[in-house]
Amino acid sequence: FETALARFNSTTGEVEATIIGFGANKVKDIAVYGERLYVAQASVDNAGIRIFDTTNWQEVTGSPIVTGLPPYSIMVVQK
């Protein structure tokens, strides 16, 4: 199966737009902090954290931020 990040209307459940398709890569977790959406992408060859701007849904990172091993969860910690 394939996974994708999509924007949807929470009232109607209608998908308004597909932000990005991840293909066979697995999205393991997401977190929102401020105007950023963080996505944990777990795959063998392209694992990492991707960051999206929630005001325009553009990807801030050109490619996943390498985490070494595939990430399975995200936690935002404020200082």
Side-chain angles (χ1 to χ4, degrees), residues 46-70:
N46 204 20
I49 304 295
R50 297 176 90 151
I51 304 171
F52 296 86
D53 184 325
T54 60
T55 62
N56 60 14
W57 296 106
Q58 297 297 310
E59 186 170 2
V60 176
T61 51
S63 60
I65 298 170
V66 177
T67 55
L69 295 172

Side-chain angles (χ1 to χ4, degrees), residues 23-37:
N25 295 320
K26 294 180 171 68
V27 173
K28 290 297 190 177
D29 198 12
I30 62 171
V32 176
Y33 182 71
E35 294 181 340
R36 297 285 192 252
L37 173 69

